[in-house]
Amino acid sequence: MGNHNRHPAYRGPWQTIRKQILTRDNHTCQIRGRRCTTTATHVDHIIPITAGGPWWDPDNLRASCPNCNIDRVDRTKQETWRTSNTRITLIIGPPGINKTTAITAQPGDLIIDYDTINAALGIEAHPDLHGPALKARGAILGELKAGRVKSKQAFIISSNPKAEGMFHHHTIKLVDPGIDQALRIIGTAGDIKGQELGKAERLVREWYRVREGGTRQVSTNSRKW
Ligand SMILES: [Zn+2]
């Protein structure tokens, strides 16, 4: 995306985030378009800011070479998921709340949950591996988006307050216990303590702050696409 410097959001913290994303993606272009030069020096917003994508969220950012950043084609043609047989449910709710209870999965259904990936691999204790784990999740999401997943149902679980704008889906399920209950749940979980608890509480408050008034607008139906 051009003219980065004009947007106030691109001053200061952006430079830090930009470097983090380039490092996370090994300075390798993640778009790999026709004119790709492989070496990434730009950072691209997957969902453009103008379309409501968060400018700061690593999930919405990827390293890009200059050519691919310029060439960003209309990707809708590649988004075969819209017409595939896999029904995609996006399950959203504040961080720290068990959202898997909202899943009605059958054997063979795909469940894309970052926390489960991390738990299965023992990654929580290894912050250096959070980037690669995100990439693994991103690769699965890419397959889903391209319509190459054969399962009947797929579930994407997200604690991102702007998840609807970031993940392709047919249906949304909201798991919202209310802020007081959400804070109580993480406070009594026992496995989160001290500084980590403070951080978790901040993330919960942030989720509610960002969604303020927005949760009521979440419909259970697909958007128009
Ligand atoms: Zn490229």
Side-chain angles (χ1 to χ4, degrees):
M1 292 164 47
N3 297 323
H4 276 168
N5 299 327
R6 286 188 192 167
H7 198 291
Y10 289 114
R11 295 186 203 123
W14 172 250
Q15 291 309 322
T16 310
I17 291 167
R18 193 182 150 275
K19 279 179 197 151
Q20 284 169 358
I21 299 299
L22 288 173
T23 304
R24 180 195 72 187
D25 293 345
N26 296 320
H27 296 266
T28 304
C29 180
Q30 305 296 301
I31 299 179
R32 311 310 289 265
R34 237 179 264 167
R35 299 197 305 132
C36 189
T37 58
T38 310
T39 304
T41 52
H42 292 209
V43 170
D44 174 65
H45 282 89
I46 297 166
I47 311 252
I49 294 173
T50 49
W55 71 268
W56 46 266
D57 192 316
D59 277 356
N60 193 39
L61 296 169
R62 59 183 170 179
S64 162
C65 74
N67 283 359
C68 286
N69 205 22
I70 292 159
D71 287 352
R72 271 185 31 127
V73 288
D74 179 9
R75 294 189 309 277
T76 52
K77 279 179 213 148
Q78 299 161 23
E79 296 183 351
T80 327
W81 67 271
R82 294 164 197 265
T83 52
S84 86
N85 290 325
T86 308
R87 182 88 185 163
I88 305 170
T89 302
L90 177 62
I91 297 182
I92 60 174
I97 305 305
N98 182 5
K99 290 179 273 296
T100 54
T101 51
I103 292 178
T104 49
Q106 305 296 319
D109 285 349
L110 189 65
I111 300 168
I112 304 170
D113 179 14
Y114 182 62
D115 289 342
T116 306
I117 294 171
N118 279 358
L121 297 176
I123 276 173
E124 273 314 317
H126 304 281
D128 291 355
L129 295 176
H130 290 178
L134 273 172
K135 275 170 87 173
R137 187 186 66 156
I140 302 291
L141 285 167
E143 291 298 298
L144 189 59
K145 193 172 183 176
R148 288 193 287 266
V149 169
K150 301 286 181 260
S151 63
K152 255 185 156 177
Q153 296 190 93
F155 300 89
I156 301 170
I157 299 175
S158 176
S159 301
N160 192 300
K162 295 190 172 174
E164 297 98 311
M166 298 173 60
F167 303 102
H168 40 291
H169 60 274
H170 298 99
T171 312
I172 293 175
K173 268 192 186 175
L174 176 68
V175 182
D176 179 12
I179 187 163
D180 293 340
Q181 177 70 355
L183 289 170
R184 204 183 64 80
I185 290 168
I186 56 166
T188 55
D191 56 341
I192 316 171
K193 292 192 177 79
Q195 276 194 337
E196 283 301 307
L197 181 58
K199 191 183 160 194
E201 285 173 351
R202 272 200 301 281
L203 287 171
V204 168
R205 290 185 198 284
E206 176 71 3
W207 191 89
Y208 280 96
R209 193 188 62 74
V210 172
R211 297 195 67 87
E212 199 173 67
T215 47
R216 254 174 279 134
Q217 291 159 23
V218 172
S219 77
T220 50
N221 294 317
S222 173
R223 330 182 189 175
K224 272 197 174 165
W225 55 18

